[in-house]
């Protein structure tokens, strides 16, 4: 692995990985980058709130890159730290889903390959991609708040499954989402939505609504397979209310993205999206965001990422 000019790098490590299978990934990555001569600041905190606070201070010093070690939740943390700045975001994937890394062409499940991809990215111009700005009412304060997402936002059955999966300790890996889906399928119910997509209002009953900047969620479920990371738009997937049997017929096709051929599945493209419904919690990048209603604005080129592609 060839070294390049020494750079100031900040590495934020998933605080929940200390007891998991990815517990050694962060230290190994830091060690490898320091061995190449880089000035590496490792951020390790016991929880995400403290990691976010320390990360803000580190990014304010304008490092050459912020690298996150973990899954899509860590990518979300990194996105919220560097969106609208010139600091590029790099990813060393070690999470459950790793959907953002997958969409960016970053090697999965191989620390050495991931670090090598970081080195490639540091030697290249960063890649500017889109991110979604989500405005909602903060439950704790009752005031309007804003948060970024980079991958996929879920606001229906898919979010309900995500909530279930996050509470499960078994099984590990992407199969956890499949098990969570089967559990929640027993409670499947139609959801009434009012969607505002740019200037078009849609009143509908659906099983789920997903807003994709990237292609997949849940470890490779291609919910929005035609989404483009740098087109300034989101792909809004709407699956009409289905019976359990019909849902079971459609669901396996999500892994290949072939569900879009089903007449009960529609994809819209929009820059501004408002989603209204009752008793639904929105998730994005695998993280719990806020109760509906929410407003989403896709912002073109707001997030610089390292070009880690082969």
């Amino acid at each position: 692995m060839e070294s390049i000019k020494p750079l100031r790098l900040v590495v934020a490590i998933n605080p929940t990985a200390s007891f998991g299978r990815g517990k050694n990934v962060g230290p190994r990555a830091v060690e490898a980058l320091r061995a190449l001569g880089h000035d590496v600041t490792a951020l390790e905190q016991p929880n995400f709130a403290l990691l976010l606070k320390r990360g803000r201070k580190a990014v304010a010093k304008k490092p050459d890159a912020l690298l996150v070690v973990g899954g899509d939740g860590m990518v979300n943390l990194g996105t919220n730290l560097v969106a609208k700045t010139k600091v590029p975001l790099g990813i060393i994937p070690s999470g459950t889903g790793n959907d953002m890394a997958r969409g960016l062409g970053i090697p999965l499940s191989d620390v050495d390959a991931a670090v090598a991809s970081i080195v490639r990215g540091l030697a290249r111009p960063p890649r500017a991609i889109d991110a979604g700005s989500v405005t909602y009412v903060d439950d704790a304060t009752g005031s309007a708040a804003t948060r970024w997402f980079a991958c996929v936002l879920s606001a229906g059955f898919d979010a309900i499954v995500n909530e279930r999966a996050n509470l499960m300790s078994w099984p590990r890996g992407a199969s956890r989402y499949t098990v969570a889906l089967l559990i929640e399928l027993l409670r499947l119910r139609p959801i009434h939505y009012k969607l505002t997509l740019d200037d078009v209002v849609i009143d509908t009953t659906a099983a789920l609504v997903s807003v994709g900047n990237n292609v997949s969620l849940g470890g490779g479920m291609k919910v929005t397979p035609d989404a483009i990371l740098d087109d300034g738009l989101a792909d809004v997937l709407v699956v009409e209310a289905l019976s359990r049997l019909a849902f079971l017929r459609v669901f396996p096709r999500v892994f290949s993205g072939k569900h879009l051929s089903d007449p009960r599945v529609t994809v819209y493209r929009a820059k501004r999206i408002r989603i209204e419904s009752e008793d639904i919690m929105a998730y994005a990048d695998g993280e719990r965001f806020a109760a509906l209603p929410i407003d989403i604005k896709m912002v073109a080129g707001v997030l610089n990422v390292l070009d880690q592609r082969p």
Side-chain angles (χ1 to χ4, degrees), residues 72-85:
D72 293 314
M74 284 299 294
V75 174
N76 185 259
L77 181 140
T79 298
N80 280 278
L81 287 174
V82 302
K84 298 178 72 175
T85 77

Side-chain angles (χ1 to χ4, degrees), residues 189-223:
R189 62 181 176 86
I191 302 169
H192 177 257
Y193 292 95
K194 180 180 178 183
L195 306 175
T196 306
L197 309 178
D198 292 328
D199 296 324
V200 178
V201 177
I202 301 171
D203 200 281
T204 188
T205 300
L208 63 85
V209 172
S210 290
V211 180
N213 182 45
N214 192 20
V215 168
S216 67
L217 55 71
M221 297 183 192
K222 297 179 181 178
V223 288

Side-chain angles (χ1 to χ4, degrees), residues 68 72 74 77 131 154 179 206 223 229 238 251 255 261 295 309:
V68 294
D72 293 314
M74 284 299 294
L77 181 140
S154 306
V179 173
V223 288
L229 286 166
V238 180
F251 172 68
F255 288 95
S261 63
D295 290 282
R309 293 172 289 187

Side-chain angles (χ1 to χ4, degrees), residues 62-243:
K62 300 180 180 179
D64 292 299
L66 170 69
L67 313 179
V68 294
V69 181
D72 293 314
M74 284 299 294
V75 174
N76 185 259
L77 181 140
T79 298
N80 280 278
L81 287 174
V82 302
K84 298 178 72 175
T85 77
K86 294 182 178 180
V87 178
L89 177 67
I91 304 170
I92 300 172
S94 63
T96 300
N98 298 319
D99 288 283
M100 199 66 202
R102 185 178 284 105
L104 290 169
I106 298 170
L108 306 178
S109 305
D110 185 333
V111 180
D112 293 334
V115 172
S117 76
I118 290 287
V119 174
R120 283 197 301 272
L122 292 170
R124 298 169 175 171
R127 180 183 176 192
I129 66 170
D130 310 333
S133 174
V134 183
T135 302
Y136 57 94
V137 175
D138 188 303
D139 286 340
T141 65
S143 301
T146 301
R147 185 172 173 183
W148 295 96
F149 78 96
C151 197
V152 178
L153 181 142
S154 306
F157 182 76
D158 43 352
I160 294 169
V161 170
N162 208 328
E163 181 127 296
R164 166 72 65 175
N166 281 354
L167 295 173
M168 295 168 59
S169 58
W170 181 92
R172 295 186 180 277
S175 59
R176 185 171 63 180
Y177 292 89
T178 304
V179 173
L181 182 141
L182 294 173
I183 293 171
E184 289 299 331
L185 187 63
L186 298 174
R187 305 172 63 191
L188 183 68
R189 62 181 176 86
I191 302 169
H192 177 257
Y193 292 95
K194 180 180 178 183
L195 306 175
T196 306
L197 309 178
D198 292 328
D199 296 324
V200 178
V201 177
I202 301 171
D203 200 281
T204 188
T205 300
L208 63 85
V209 172
S210 290
V211 180
N213 182 45
N214 192 20
V215 168
S216 67
L217 55 71
M221 297 183 192
K222 297 179 181 178
V223 288
T224 48
D226 298 325
I228 299 172
L229 286 166
D230 55 4
D231 64 349
L233 300 171
D235 281 26
V236 183
L237 174 80
V238 180
V239 179
E240 70 178 52
L242 301 172
S243 68

Side-chain angles (χ1 to χ4, degrees), residues 39-75:
D39 178 4
V40 181
T41 299
L43 304 183
E44 297 185 77
Q45 296 294 324
N47 58 59
F48 277 93
L50 289 174
L51 190 60
L52 186 66
K53 183 178 180 180
R54 190 172 172 202
R56 286 196 185 103
K57 292 180 180 178
V59 169
K61 295 179 181 178
K62 300 180 180 179
D64 292 299
L66 170 69
L67 313 179
V68 294
V69 181
D72 293 314
M74 284 299 294
V75 174

